[in-house]
Each structure stands twice: as structure tokens, then as C-alpha cells.
Amino acid sequence: MNSQSCSLFDSPQEIEKKPATPKIEASWLKVLQDEFQKPYFQELKEFLVQEIKSGKKIFPPPSQIFSAFDFCPFDNVKVVILGQDPYHGTGQAHGLCFSVNKQVPIPPSLQNIYKEIHDDLGLPIPSHGNLESWARQGVLLLNTTLTVQKSNPMSHAGKGWEEFTDRVIQEISDRKEGVVFLLWGRHAQTKGQNIDRNKHSVLTAPHPSPFSVHSGFFGCKHFSQTNEILKKLEKNPINWEI
């Protein structure tokens, strides 16, 4: 990782200072520099400052808010998986969509993702839910909203993160070629509606949630399809084994 920190704030003292630019991986900083100066992002930071100062617990921890970018520099992005909201339970979220820290139980949606990978590629079901190995291979695991209040799902929706992640997707679409976007569920598909299909591959399926997984996520074979697309583009396929 090329940044010393991926936090909105370098330390508790920085909460008072509200630095102009968050620390984020160097290639992403180059792409997104002007976004951090926009009024909506300044308002977002002020909202987070007030949440923290009021004693509310925010997930993921500030040092991991931009982990998706830190583990997957802009130049390395080959695949994008879009999530929605970070996990809101203690110890779960660490900045990568669908991923959880090793010491906590695997959430139901990720269990279903693992089942599909097993059926698609014959890989063993992992014993933990940490997806950092995917990110290091060029899979950007991007949530629409990058923070959440403990035990309060969607509590940071509509505060500015959606505009920021829209810009992230647009920059990938505009500046890169041959990226595979995996859009699971209506929310992700709406979020990705402006991706340039002439330059990129977009695979869609229902969300892997237990509520929708049987309506088409199981059997979608997105993981083998992704690797076939990457191979045709003469890119290294993803090792989906955890």
C-alpha cells in the first residue's frame, strides 16, 4: 500500500482540525483529489466529525474507511464488486464490501457467495470472511456508502458517500478499459447504470442475500465468467480461493 494512512483523520486530534484531504492510496488520490475539496465532501467530513465527537461508534474504524482503495490501487483495478452499506456489527466491517474480519462469523450473503464459487469453480468453502486476497489481485470491493453507525444500518446513507462513490465508478469507466463489473441486486445495477458497456463487461444477477439468492444468483457463474473475460483480454485471472 502506497499511503501511510487511509483515514479521514490521522489521529483523534485531527478530528478537531478536519484536514483538507484524507489520506488515501497515491494513485487514487491523483484521480480523486478535486473530489475531496467539494462542498458535499466537506459536509460529509463535518457530519462524521459530529458523529464521533458525540460518542457514536462508527464502522469501519476511521483507519479502514478507504481500505478498498488502499488494497487495490487505481492502476490495478480489473474487477469491481459493488456493495451497499458496511456491516454494522462490532468487529465486522473493515472497508471492503461483503468482507469481514477473520475473527467474526461469515455473514449470510458472503456464505452464499462462497457457495456459488464452490459450485462454479469447485473451490473449497473458506473458513473465514476476509477478502483482502481478492483486493490485492485487482478486485475493488466498493460499498456505495463507506461508513455506518453501530447497529444502525443505512444510517450514513444520503450524507455524501453516494456522490463520492459515483465519481469512483465514473473514473474507472472513463479512464480504464476492460474492467469487469459485478452488479448484484437492483441497488448495484442502478448504481452502475452509466458504466460504458462498449469498454467494459457488466455482469448482473440478483443479490446474494438469503432473500433473493435463489432467484438467480445461484448459478450465475460470475466468477468463471469473469476469469474467461480477463483471459481474453490477456489479463491474469482472479484466484477466487480464500
Side-chain angles (χ1 to χ4, degrees):
M1 294 187 287
N2 295 326
S3 63
Q4 294 179 342
S5 169
C6 58
S7 176
L8 279 171
F9 313 108
D10 291 332
S11 67
Q13 290 73 29
E14 291 293 345
I15 292 176
E16 297 295 337
K17 296 178 183 178
K18 298 188 288 295
T21 303
K23 296 293 181 67
I24 191 171
E25 192 276 330
S27 64
W28 283 105
L29 179 59
K30 184 177 180 180
V31 170
L32 300 170
Q33 175 73 56
D34 63 328
E35 204 71 12
F36 296 124
Q37 312 306 321
K38 292 181 179 179
Y40 87 86
F41 200 89
Q42 299 301 314
E43 292 173 5
L44 170 61
K45 285 199 293 181
E46 180 61 29
F47 166 75
L48 293 173
V49 166
Q50 295 305 318
E51 289 277 277
I52 294 170
K53 288 174 69 175
S54 68
K56 294 175 182 175
K57 190 71 173 178
I58 303 303
F59 297 137
S63 64
Q64 297 179 332
I65 290 173
F66 292 109
S67 287
F69 305 93
D70 248 13
F71 283 110
C72 186
F74 184 81
D75 294 341
N76 294 358
V77 176
K78 297 188 291 188
V79 179
V80 177
I81 297 178
L82 285 183
Q84 187 168 356
D85 201 34
Y87 296 117
H88 54 84
T90 300
Q92 290 183 301
H94 64 125
L96 308 178
C97 76
F98 292 106
S99 182
V100 292
N101 286 301
K102 288 184 178 180
Q103 68 271 22
V104 300
I106 301 172
S109 290
L110 184 55
Q111 291 181 26
N112 288 332
I113 290 170
Y114 285 167
K115 289 176 184 177
E116 175 58 23
I117 292 173
H118 173 73
D119 291 344
D120 187 11
L121 298 172
L123 298 177
I125 300 292
S127 61
H128 66 81
N130 189 306
L131 304 180
E132 287 178 10
S133 64
W134 293 359
R136 293 181 187 277
Q137 295 177 75
V139 182
L140 181 65
L141 296 164
L142 180 67
N143 274 317
T144 295
T145 304
L146 300 190
T147 57
V148 70
Q149 187 187 123
K150 178 182 177 180
S151 303
N152 192 1
M154 301 302 296
S155 51
H156 289 183
K159 303 298 183 181
W161 281 127
E162 294 89 345
E163 186 170 347
F164 177 76
T165 51
D166 280 346
R167 169 73 185 277
V168 171
I169 294 168
Q170 196 62 55
E171 290 295 338
I172 295 171
S173 179
D174 291 347
R175 296 187 184 220
K176 298 181 71 70
E177 293 186 6
V179 174
V180 183
F181 289 84
L182 305 183
L183 307 183
W184 301 330
R186 185 177 301 173
H187 176 85
Q189 290 158 24
T190 300
K191 182 82 172 172
Q193 61 187 353
N194 293 325
I195 296 166
D196 187 344
R197 266 71 168 175
N198 294 317
K199 296 171 57 182
H200 306 287
S201 298
V202 178
L203 305 181
T204 63
H207 195 275
S209 160
F211 298 105
S212 55
V213 68
H214 291 286
S215 60
F217 181 82
F218 283 153
C220 70
K221 299 189 179 298
H222 278 185
F223 304 96
S224 60
Q225 287 186 53
T226 294
N227 281 349
E228 287 303 315
I229 293 167
L230 293 175
K231 289 175 185 176
K232 288 179 181 178
L233 295 171
E234 299 184 343
K235 298 180 181 182
N236 290 330
I238 304 300
N239 178 8
W240 297 108
E241 186 170 3
I242 300 299

